[in-house]
Amino acid sequence: MKLYQNEISSATSRVRIALALKGLSAEALPVTILGEDSESRQAGYRSINPQGLVPALLTDSGVLLTQSLAIVEYLNELQPEPPLLPDTAEDRALTRSIALAITAEIHALLPPRIGLHLRAAFQADTDAVTAWDRHWVGEGMAAVETMIAGRRQGAFAVGNRPSIADIFLFPQSIGARRLGFDLTRWPNIAEIVARQEAIPAFRDNAPAPRR
Ligand SMILES: N[C@@H](CCC(=O)N[C@@H](CS)C(=O)NCC(=O)O)C(=O)O
Protein backbone atom coordinates (compact mmCIF):
# COMPACT_ATOMS: atom_id res chain seq x y z
CA MET A 1 0.00 0.00 0.00
CA LYS A 2 1.01 3.62 -0.52
CA LEU A 3 -0.19 6.55 1.56
CA TYR A 4 -0.35 10.08 0.18
CA GLN A 5 0.20 12.03 3.36
CA ASN A 6 1.57 15.03 5.17
CA GLU A 7 3.23 14.97 8.58
CA ILE A 8 1.22 17.92 9.95
CA SER A 9 -2.10 16.54 8.75
CA SER A 10 -4.58 15.53 11.43
CA ALA A 11 -6.52 13.41 8.92
CA THR A 12 -3.33 11.61 7.88
CA SER A 13 -2.52 10.99 11.55
CA ARG A 14 -5.76 9.00 11.88
CA VAL A 15 -4.69 6.60 9.13
CA ARG A 16 -1.16 6.29 10.47
CA ILE A 17 -2.51 5.42 13.93
CA ALA A 18 -4.81 2.77 12.42
CA LEU A 19 -1.94 1.28 10.40
CA ALA A 20 0.21 1.14 13.55
CA LEU A 21 -2.52 -0.44 15.69
CA LYS A 22 -3.01 -3.07 12.99
CA GLY A 23 0.69 -3.72 12.49
CA LEU A 24 0.33 -2.74 8.83
CA SER A 25 2.63 -0.50 6.83
CA ALA A 26 2.25 1.73 3.81
CA GLU A 27 4.89 3.53 1.79
CA ALA A 28 4.65 7.25 2.57
CA LEU A 29 4.20 9.56 -0.43
CA PRO A 30 4.53 13.15 0.90
CA VAL A 31 2.21 15.86 -0.46
CA THR A 32 2.68 19.50 0.59
CA ILE A 33 -0.53 21.12 1.85
CA LEU A 34 0.40 24.64 3.04
CA GLY A 35 0.14 27.79 0.92
CA GLU A 36 -1.38 28.78 -2.43
CA ASP A 37 1.26 26.75 -4.30
CA SER A 38 1.01 23.55 -2.31
CA GLU A 39 1.02 20.26 -4.22
CA SER A 40 -2.46 19.58 -2.82
CA ARG A 41 -3.77 22.48 -4.95
CA GLN A 42 -2.02 21.54 -8.18
CA ALA A 43 -3.29 19.58 -11.15
CA GLY A 44 -0.78 16.76 -10.66
CA TYR A 45 -2.16 15.69 -7.27
CA ARG A 46 -5.74 16.63 -8.22
CA SER A 47 -5.47 14.08 -11.04
CA ILE A 48 -4.81 11.47 -8.33
CA ASN A 49 -7.29 12.76 -5.70
CA PRO A 50 -9.82 15.18 -7.20
CA GLN A 51 -10.44 16.69 -3.75
CA GLY A 52 -6.76 17.57 -3.40
CA LEU A 53 -6.68 16.26 0.17
CA VAL A 54 -4.52 13.93 2.19
CA PRO A 55 -4.71 11.19 3.25
CA ALA A 56 -5.31 9.01 0.20
CA LEU A 57 -4.45 5.33 0.27
CA LEU A 58 -3.44 3.38 -2.81
CA THR A 59 -4.34 -0.23 -2.14
CA ASP A 60 -2.20 -3.16 -3.24
CA SER A 61 -4.62 -3.76 -6.11
CA GLY A 62 -4.23 -0.15 -7.26
CA VAL A 63 -7.49 1.38 -6.02
CA LEU A 64 -7.23 4.90 -4.57
CA LEU A 65 -9.22 5.33 -1.36
CA THR A 66 -9.89 8.82 -0.01
CA GLN A 67 -11.45 10.17 3.21
CA SER A 68 -9.81 9.01 6.41
CA LEU A 69 -12.95 7.42 7.86
CA ALA A 70 -13.39 5.24 4.78
CA ILE A 71 -9.68 4.37 4.79
CA VAL A 72 -9.65 3.43 8.47
CA GLU A 73 -12.74 1.26 8.01
CA TYR A 74 -11.03 -0.40 5.02
CA LEU A 75 -7.94 -1.16 7.12
CA ASN A 76 -10.20 -2.56 9.84
CA GLU A 77 -11.68 -4.98 7.31
CA LEU A 78 -8.33 -5.78 5.69
CA GLN A 79 -6.80 -6.73 9.04
CA PRO A 80 -9.58 -7.49 11.57
CA GLU A 81 -7.27 -7.71 14.62
CA PRO A 82 -7.33 -5.79 16.83
CA PRO A 83 -10.89 -4.70 16.07
CA LEU A 84 -11.39 -0.93 15.81
CA LEU A 85 -15.16 -1.11 16.21
CA PRO A 86 -17.04 -2.25 19.35
CA ASP A 87 -19.13 -5.40 19.61
CA THR A 88 -22.66 -4.00 19.55
CA ALA A 89 -24.48 -2.17 16.76
CA GLU A 90 -25.31 0.70 19.11
CA ASP A 91 -21.71 1.14 20.18
CA ARG A 92 -20.52 0.93 16.58
CA ALA A 93 -22.97 3.71 15.64
CA LEU A 94 -21.81 5.76 18.63
CA THR A 95 -18.19 5.26 17.58
CA ARG A 96 -18.95 6.51 14.06
CA SER A 97 -20.97 9.43 15.50
CA ILE A 98 -17.94 10.60 17.46
CA ALA A 99 -15.62 10.16 14.48
CA LEU A 100 -18.00 12.12 12.24
CA ALA A 101 -18.56 14.84 14.86
CA ILE A 102 -14.80 15.37 14.71
CA THR A 103 -14.10 15.00 11.00
CA ALA A 104 -17.26 16.54 9.55
CA GLU A 105 -18.13 19.20 12.12
CA ILE A 106 -14.77 20.28 13.60
CA HIS A 107 -11.86 19.36 11.34
CA ALA A 108 -13.68 20.29 8.12
CA LEU A 109 -13.63 23.94 9.21
CA LEU A 110 -9.88 24.05 9.89
CA PRO A 111 -7.65 22.77 7.04
CA PRO A 112 -5.26 25.07 5.15
CA ARG A 113 -7.70 25.71 2.30
CA ILE A 114 -10.20 27.21 4.76
CA GLY A 115 -7.63 29.65 6.13
CA LEU A 116 -6.53 30.59 2.61
CA HIS A 117 -10.12 31.37 1.64
CA LEU A 118 -10.81 33.36 4.82
CA ARG A 119 -7.75 35.47 4.01
CA ALA A 120 -8.50 35.89 0.29
CA ALA A 121 -12.25 36.47 0.44
CA PHE A 122 -12.68 38.18 3.82
CA GLN A 123 -9.27 39.80 4.44
CA ALA A 124 -8.80 37.71 7.59
CA ASP A 125 -5.33 38.04 9.13
CA THR A 126 -3.51 35.38 11.16
CA ASP A 127 -5.22 36.41 14.41
CA ALA A 128 -8.64 36.21 12.79
CA VAL A 129 -7.95 32.76 11.33
CA THR A 130 -6.73 31.57 14.74
CA ALA A 131 -9.89 32.98 16.38
CA TRP A 132 -11.95 31.13 13.76
CA ASP A 133 -10.12 27.86 14.49
CA ARG A 134 -10.46 28.31 18.27
CA HIS A 135 -14.18 28.99 17.95
CA TRP A 136 -14.97 25.80 16.04
CA VAL A 137 -12.59 23.63 18.06
CA GLY A 138 -13.94 24.95 21.38
CA GLU A 139 -17.58 24.47 20.41
CA GLY A 140 -17.00 21.14 18.69
CA MET A 141 -14.84 19.54 21.38
CA ALA A 142 -17.30 20.57 24.09
CA ALA A 143 -19.99 18.67 22.19
CA VAL A 144 -17.73 15.65 21.75
CA GLU A 145 -16.95 15.70 25.49
CA THR A 146 -20.68 15.55 26.23
CA MET A 147 -21.22 12.78 23.67
CA ILE A 148 -18.47 10.68 25.26
CA ALA A 149 -19.51 11.43 28.86
CA GLY A 150 -23.11 10.44 28.16
CA ARG A 151 -22.34 6.80 27.53
CA ARG A 152 -18.78 6.21 28.63
CA GLN A 153 -18.30 2.71 30.02
CA GLY A 154 -14.60 2.08 29.83
CA ALA A 155 -11.08 3.39 29.51
CA PHE A 156 -11.43 4.74 25.97
CA ALA A 157 -13.96 6.83 24.07
CA VAL A 158 -16.31 3.88 23.56
CA GLY A 159 -15.51 0.82 25.66
CA ASN A 160 -12.28 -0.63 26.95
CA ARG A 161 -10.14 -0.77 23.84
CA PRO A 162 -9.12 1.89 21.31
CA SER A 163 -11.70 2.31 18.57
CA ILE A 164 -12.17 4.50 15.53
CA ALA A 165 -13.55 7.15 17.90
CA ASP A 166 -10.17 7.28 19.66
CA ILE A 167 -8.32 7.40 16.35
CA PHE A 168 -10.26 10.55 15.43
CA LEU A 169 -10.23 12.06 18.91
CA PHE A 170 -6.47 11.91 19.44
CA PRO A 171 -5.15 14.13 16.60
CA GLN A 172 -7.96 16.65 17.10
CA SER A 173 -7.11 16.88 20.79
CA ILE A 174 -3.43 17.43 20.01
CA GLY A 175 -4.52 20.18 17.63
CA ALA A 176 -6.75 21.72 20.32
CA ARG A 177 -3.84 21.77 22.74
CA ARG A 178 -1.70 23.54 20.12
CA LEU A 179 -4.44 26.15 19.79
CA GLY A 180 -4.01 26.88 23.50
CA PHE A 181 -6.81 24.78 24.98
CA ASP A 182 -6.08 23.06 28.28
CA LEU A 183 -7.64 19.63 27.71
CA THR A 184 -8.71 19.39 31.36
CA ARG A 185 -11.66 21.66 30.47
CA TRP A 186 -12.99 18.46 28.86
CA PRO A 187 -12.31 15.91 31.65
CA ASN A 188 -13.24 12.73 29.78
CA ILE A 189 -11.26 13.75 26.73
CA ALA A 190 -8.25 14.72 28.88
CA GLU A 191 -8.27 11.36 30.64
CA ILE A 192 -8.65 9.38 27.41
CA VAL A 193 -5.92 11.37 25.62
CA ALA A 194 -3.51 10.79 28.52
CA ARG A 195 -4.16 7.07 28.10
CA GLN A 196 -3.71 7.26 24.32
CA GLU A 197 -0.43 9.15 24.68
CA ALA A 198 0.97 6.16 26.57
CA ILE A 199 0.35 3.95 23.51
CA PRO A 200 3.13 4.15 20.87
CA ALA A 201 0.71 3.71 17.94
CA PHE A 202 -0.96 6.97 19.00
CA ARG A 203 1.99 8.89 20.43
CA ASP A 204 4.34 8.16 17.51
CA ASN A 205 1.76 9.11 14.90
CA ALA A 206 0.48 12.41 16.27
CA PRO A 207 0.35 15.20 13.68
CA ALA A 208 3.63 17.14 13.59
CA PRO A 209 3.38 20.81 14.66
CA ARG A 210 3.16 23.43 11.90
CA ARG A 211 6.50 25.24 11.66
N1 LIG B 1 -12.51 14.70 5.53
C1 LIG B 1 -11.17 14.50 5.03
C2 LIG B 1 -10.32 15.69 5.37
C3 LIG B 1 -9.01 15.68 4.66
C4 LIG B 1 -8.28 17.01 4.83
O1 LIG B 1 -8.90 18.08 4.97
N2 LIG B 1 -6.96 16.95 4.79
C5 LIG B 1 -6.17 18.15 4.91
C6 LIG B 1 -4.98 17.93 5.80
S1 LIG B 1 -5.47 17.50 7.44
C7 LIG B 1 -5.69 18.58 3.55
O2 LIG B 1 -5.29 17.76 2.75
N3 LIG B 1 -5.74 19.88 3.29
C8 LIG B 1 -5.30 20.46 2.07
C9 LIG B 1 -5.87 21.85 1.94
O3 LIG B 1 -6.59 22.27 2.83
O4 LIG B 1 -5.58 22.46 0.94
C10 LIG B 1 -10.60 13.20 5.60
O5 LIG B 1 -11.02 12.82 6.68
O6 LIG B 1 -9.74 12.57 4.97
Side-chain angles (χ1 to χ4, degrees), residues 9-11 14 33 40-41 52-55 67-68 103 107 111-113:
S9 155
S10 185
R14 301 167 191 157
I33 61 172
S40 62
R41 303 173 70 79
L53 303 175
V54 292
Q67 291 293 332
S68 60
T103 188
H107 179 268
R113 67 190 180 284

Side-chain angles (χ1 to χ4, degrees), residues 42-62:
Q42 292 171 23
Y45 185 60
R46 294 277 167 119
S47 71
I48 296 167
N49 178 359
Q51 288 192 293
L53 303 175
V54 292
L57 184 81
L58 193 59
T59 69
D60 283 340
S61 55

Side-chain angles (χ1 to χ4, degrees), residues 101-177:
I102 291 166
T103 188
E105 320 297 349
I106 303 175
H107 179 268
L109 293 158
L110 311 175
R113 67 190 180 284
I114 304 297
L116 285 177
H117 188 65
L118 289 171
R119 289 170 194 270
F122 306 108
Q123 294 76 49
D125 60 13
T126 299
D127 286 348
V129 173
T130 301
W132 166 279
D133 290 351
R134 281 184 54 84
H135 172 79
W136 294 115
V137 168
E139 187 175 287
M141 292 295 274
V144 169
E145 166 71 13
T146 306
M147 290 168 76
I148 291 173
R151 229 186 100 80
R152 191 156 165 227
Q153 292 166 341
F156 289 95
V158 183
N160 262 320
R161 59 177 190 242
S163 72
I164 287 174
D166 295 282
I167 288 174
F168 280 65
L169 181 64
F170 181 69
Q172 203 63 60
S173 301
I174 300 300
R177 202 187 266 155

